[in-house]
């Protein structure tokens, strides 16, 4: 039976069997949404800390909800009011937390590789909640889960990822996860926003969104990561939107069962129009819901759980 490593640092280092284990465990966790009382004792006695050095709505809140529903003791450490603000290194901060008996640390940081450094420094389990432009494995997993839930499979699907591929950690985790599970992935962006060497990961590179969407089963739309851009990568947002934005007119030319996804937060009117974001084919809200189930599964599996049938008892 598949077993996860000590830490979840990225989908690049998981195999297909381990990814399937997480998705199957998340399916068992999702049953909690149909309950009136969404509280199970599964993680009683486990202590989980979130340590976010960058803003977050979905990831942080869904980890908090997942932990609380499973009865873990959950602490949100706010960087601005912690001793990090006084110059303490984040490794010392993590060791301090570990000395208090913390079992699992969830970290988001603007520097790629920071979760790896942390995982190598502490015995506690570490989950990468997004590190720079490197990986966002829990978003990748919930995207895989959402595709499998809606399409019934991942293998053989044509998945288009459009947006700021260069700066997007979501794109990287999606590419690793989707290709490992047998999807055909096409990345679409202006040439300046396509990372060198991305073709080595088995993806097709395209700059014509209309052409890419013609045969697509799924489109995952990513925002322009202005906070990570150090120069101008395209003339204006208006021109970007015209060439790479998904609007109703483009949606109508694609397959009628094209699944529309966006990890959020979205810049409506830039990479996705408001009409498309709330369209019947959009699963953006379901992605958020599935994020809780996937994060429940990860908390359970990383802290030693193995039998998915016992999660909600
Ligand atoms: N998708 C995502 O990571 O969203 P947040 O930044 O709100 O966590």
């Amino acid at each position: 039976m598949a077993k996860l490593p000590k830490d979840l640092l990225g989908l690049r280092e998981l195999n297909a069997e381990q990814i399937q284990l997480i998705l199957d465990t998340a399916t068992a966790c999702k049953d909690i949404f149909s309950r009136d009382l969404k509280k199970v004792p599964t993680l009683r006695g486990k202590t989980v800390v979130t340590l976010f050095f960058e803003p977050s709505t979905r990831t942080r809140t869904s980890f908090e909800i997942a932990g609380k529903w499973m009865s873990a003791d959950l602490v949100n450490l706010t960087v601005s009011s912690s001793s990090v603000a006084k110059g303490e290194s984040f490794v010392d901060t993590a060791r301090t937390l570990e000395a208090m008996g913390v079992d699992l640390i969830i970290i988001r940081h603007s520097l790629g590789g920071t979760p790896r450094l942390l995982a190598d420094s502490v015995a506690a389990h570490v989950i990468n909640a997004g590190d720079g432009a490197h990986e966002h494995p829990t978003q990748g997993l919930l995207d895989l889960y959402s595709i499998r839930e809606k399409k019934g499979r991942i293998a053989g699907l044509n998945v288009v990822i459009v947006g700021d591929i260069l700066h997007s950690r979501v794109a990287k985790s999606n590419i690793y996860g989707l290709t490992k599970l047998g999807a055909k992935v096409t990345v679409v962006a202006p040439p300046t926003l396509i990372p060198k060497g991305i073709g080595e990961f088995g993806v097709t590179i395209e700059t014509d969104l209309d052409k890419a969407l013609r045969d697509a089963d799924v489109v995952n739309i990513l925002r322009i990561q202005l906070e990570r851009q150090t120069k101008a990568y395209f003339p204006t947002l208006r021109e970007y939107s015209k060439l790479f934005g998904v609007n109703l007119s483009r949606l109508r030319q694609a397959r009628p069962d094209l699944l529309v996804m966006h990890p959020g937060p979205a810049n409506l009117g830039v990479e996705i129009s408001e009409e498309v974001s709330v369209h019947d084919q959009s699963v953006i809200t379901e992605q958020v819901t599935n994020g809780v189930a996937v994060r429940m599964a990860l908390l359970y599996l990383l802290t030693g759980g193995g039998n998915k049938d016992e999660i909600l008892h």
Side-chain angles (χ1 to χ4, degrees):
M1 187 186 150
K3 200 171 174 304
L4 295 192
K6 166 183 162 278
D7 312 289
L8 178 74
L9 302 178
L11 296 195
R12 191 172 177 182
E13 49 206 62
L14 295 188
N15 60 38
E17 213 185 352
Q18 291 168 321
I19 295 173
Q20 296 285 12
L21 170 69
I22 298 166
L23 303 187
D24 292 345
T25 308
T27 300
C29 292
K30 200 167 174 193
D31 281 349
I32 203 164
F33 283 89
S34 58
R35 295 186 171 197
D36 287 336
L37 187 63
K38 296 178 183 57
K39 187 91 171 173
V40 290
T42 320
L43 294 184
R44 201 157 51 194
K46 302 287 183 191
T47 305
V48 176
V49 172
T50 64
L51 187 56
F52 276 54
F53 291 81
E54 280 191 335
S56 168
T57 298
R58 292 151 200 79
T59 312
R60 186 173 183 152
T61 311
S62 60
F63 264 121
E64 191 168 344
I65 290 169
K68 286 185 170 171
W69 282 358
M70 298 176 95
S71 302
D73 294 308
L74 209 116
V75 179
N76 288 315
L77 191 66
T78 310
V79 171
S80 60
S81 61
S82 74
S83 287
V84 172
K86 292 185 263 179
E88 184 173 62
S89 80
F90 85 96
V91 169
D92 279 344
T93 301
R95 287 189 179 133
T96 303
L97 298 171
E98 194 170 52
M100 297 180 212
V102 167
D103 297 291
L104 195 149
I105 301 169
I106 299 158
I107 181 167
R108 171 173 285 192
H109 203 286
S110 56
L111 288 177
T114 310
R116 157 80 63 197
L117 180 59
L118 185 62
D120 290 345
S121 311
V122 295
H125 303 281
V126 173
I127 296 181
N128 177 4
D131 60 333
H134 176 233
E135 276 222 47
H136 192 348
T138 65
Q139 180 68 46
L141 287 164
L142 78 88
D143 291 343
L144 292 172
Y145 183 93
S146 304
I147 294 171
R148 193 177 80 162
E149 184 179 59
K150 289 290 173 186
K151 294 286 185 187
R153 67 188 168 105
I154 290 173
L157 292 179
N158 287 321
V159 181
V160 169
I161 305 174
V162 55
D164 184 353
I165 313 295
L166 182 65
H167 300 98
S168 170
R169 51 198 179 205
V170 176
K172 316 301 181 337
S173 292
N174 265 260
I175 288 167
Y176 300 138
L178 285 163
T179 52
K180 281 176 192 199
L181 296 192
K184 288 173 262 176
V185 179
T186 302
V187 293
V188 183
T192 49
L193 288 176
I194 294 177
K196 284 190 182 65
I198 197 80
E200 287 164 26
F201 295 103
V203 301
T204 303
I205 298 165
E206 183 55 75
T207 52
D208 182 340
L209 178 59
D210 296 304
K211 185 174 165 205
L213 285 182
R214 228 166 275 152
D215 288 324
D217 298 292
V218 179
V219 59
N220 198 358
I221 305 161
L222 308 177
R223 75 183 170 89
I224 295 292
Q225 311 247 320
L226 290 174
E227 75 275 26
R228 296 188 211 289
Q229 296 189 358
T230 51
K231 57 177 184 165
Y233 291 87
F234 46 84
T236 63
L237 280 179
R238 197 156 157 260
E239 277 151 304
Y240 174 87
S241 185
K242 196 169 164 215
L243 291 171
F244 299 100
V246 180
N247 51 32
L248 266 186
S249 146
R250 285 209 159 99
L251 191 62
R252 286 190 187 120
Q253 286 171 39
R255 286 187 190 167
D257 61 347
L258 174 73
L259 202 65
V260 175
M261 303 176 69
H262 193 307
N267 285 319
L268 296 179
V270 179
E271 74 273 11
I272 184 170
S273 71
E274 186 165 3
E275 295 95 328
V276 171
S277 75
V278 295
H279 195 275
D280 286 350
Q281 288 166 240
S282 162
V283 290
I284 296 173
T285 308
E286 285 101 315
Q287 284 174 264
V288 176
T289 304
N290 292 337
V292 177
V294 164
R295 289 169 179 126
M296 285 175 72
L298 287 167
L299 295 180
Y300 176 70
L301 290 168
L302 286 178
T303 55
N307 184 352
K308 63 181 175 5
D309 298 327
E310 289 175 1
I311 298 173
L312 299 191
H313 290 292

